[in-house]
Amino acid sequence: ASTFTSCTVPTDSGLGGAIYLDIQTGGETKYDLTGASYSTATHSLNNAQYGKNLFINAFDLSAAVPMNDASATKTKIGAGLDSYEKANPTNLMGYDSAIGTLAIPLYYVYTAVNPLVFHVNNPISPFQIGSGNNNKYCGHLEWPCLTIDYSMQLTGNSIEKKIGIISEYKIDSLIEIDQSGKEVKISNSLSDSGDVTDIKSILNIEDQGKFSVTNGTLQFDKITFSININALEEYIITGSTQSTRIQIDNCIMKTTTAQSTIKTGLVEVEYGILSITNLNIEDIVIQDR
């Protein structure tokens, strides 16, 4: 067994303070760091810009750090306890050639999104962990996706597609829901510990931000719709065919600026089913259209 201590590369550009692996196609399974460990003592930590302990540059990072057997993967790369790696995501990182030079915390590569709630967040510039970004490892609360459309793709063939809104998330373009026989559930985010809460997430509606349902079910739960005065006319949520169902539970509709006048309604169902339970409307004036 080996413990790497005080290993450092340039902290403004260096990759892999203790270990750097460059893995080409076919080499994803041909390494083993079992027995390796990395100092956790403050005075002897390893350091780098990305991957303070380990950095893996792989053609396919998911093959080099598989999630189908997370326990074996953690042993193979010398990962510590989940609580430690989650709190220190820059310790173990890597590149995936399909994604480019986005340094991905390995914790979010070998850990499945659970309980299958794919979170979305706004982008942050410059990029930092927690910023919304569409990549095949996103969806975690701390490593969220950027768009609802991409998050739905990651759920695969799941009948229920769960999307968690990190509060203050913004939509400013049309999102089309065409999911025959399936349900898209957009809800508040989970807690840091992964638990369901009653704390509503704010969903900012701006410009052309709308949901159009043509097939399947769209459900909102514990969402505060915050409507900007620049939101376009018509309705935020529309259902246009008999095969659609829209369900709104435990939500709030309000304006981003208190008591401002808007031209946007919440929901219109031309055909299909609409179910609303516990919806509060707060200080809204809707202008005649």
Side-chain angles (χ1 to χ4, degrees), residues 168-268:
E168 299 294 349
Y169 182 69
K170 178 182 73 175
I171 66 164
D172 55 12
S173 60
L174 177 66
I175 297 173
E176 297 184 81
I177 307 295
D178 183 0
Q179 298 286 337
S180 180
K182 298 177 181 178
E183 177 181 349
V184 177
K185 182 177 181 180
I186 297 177
S187 64
N188 58 338
S189 60
L190 301 176
S191 69
D192 290 341
S193 57
D195 297 321
V196 175
T197 77
D198 291 327
I199 301 172
K200 294 178 176 63
S201 288
I202 296 172
L203 177 60
N204 290 303
I205 309 296
E206 300 184 5
D207 298 322
Q208 302 178 56
K210 297 182 187 302
F211 296 88
S212 174
V213 189
T214 57
N215 255 316
T217 296
L218 175 61
Q219 178 185 1
F220 292 92
D221 186 30
K222 302 184 184 73
I223 293 293
T224 295
F225 298 95
S226 181
I227 305 170
N228 195 289
I229 57 174
N230 68 7
L232 298 186
E233 295 183 15
E234 305 300 334
Y235 294 87
I236 296 169
I237 309 161
T238 58
S240 57
T241 68
Q242 293 182 348
S243 59
T244 62
R245 175 185 174 90
I246 295 172
Q247 185 172 337
I248 301 172
D249 299 324
N250 309 306
C251 291
I252 294 173
M253 176 187 179
K254 70 181 192 68
T255 51
T256 304
T257 304
Q259 297 182 332
S260 56
T261 299
I262 58 174
K263 300 178 181 180
T264 310
L266 180 60
V267 59
E268 180 186 54

Side-chain angles (χ1 to χ4, degrees), residues 17-47:
I19 301 174
Y20 175 88
L21 298 179
D22 193 344
I23 302 176
Q24 301 301 310
T25 305
E28 290 89 355
T29 62
K30 297 178 181 179
Y31 79 95
D32 192 345
L33 301 179
T34 300
S37 61
Y38 315 99
S39 174
T40 58
T42 304
H43 67 279
S44 59
L45 295 174
N46 305 307
N47 208 355

Side-chain angles (χ1 to χ4, degrees), residues 74-90:
K74 288 186 285 186
T75 299
K76 182 178 179 179
I77 64 176
L81 295 173
D82 283 348
S83 57
Y84 179 78
E85 299 301 349
K86 183 178 180 180
N88 297 276
T90 60

Side-chain angles (χ1 to χ4, degrees), residues 263-288:
K263 300 178 181 180
T264 310
L266 180 60
V267 59
E268 180 186 54
V269 175
E270 187 174 354
Y271 299 101
I273 299 171
L274 173 63
S275 172
I276 299 177
T277 304
N278 193 23
L279 171 66
N280 290 327
I281 312 296
E282 297 183 354
D283 299 327
I284 282 183
V285 177
I286 299 180
Q287 181 178 320
D288 289 339

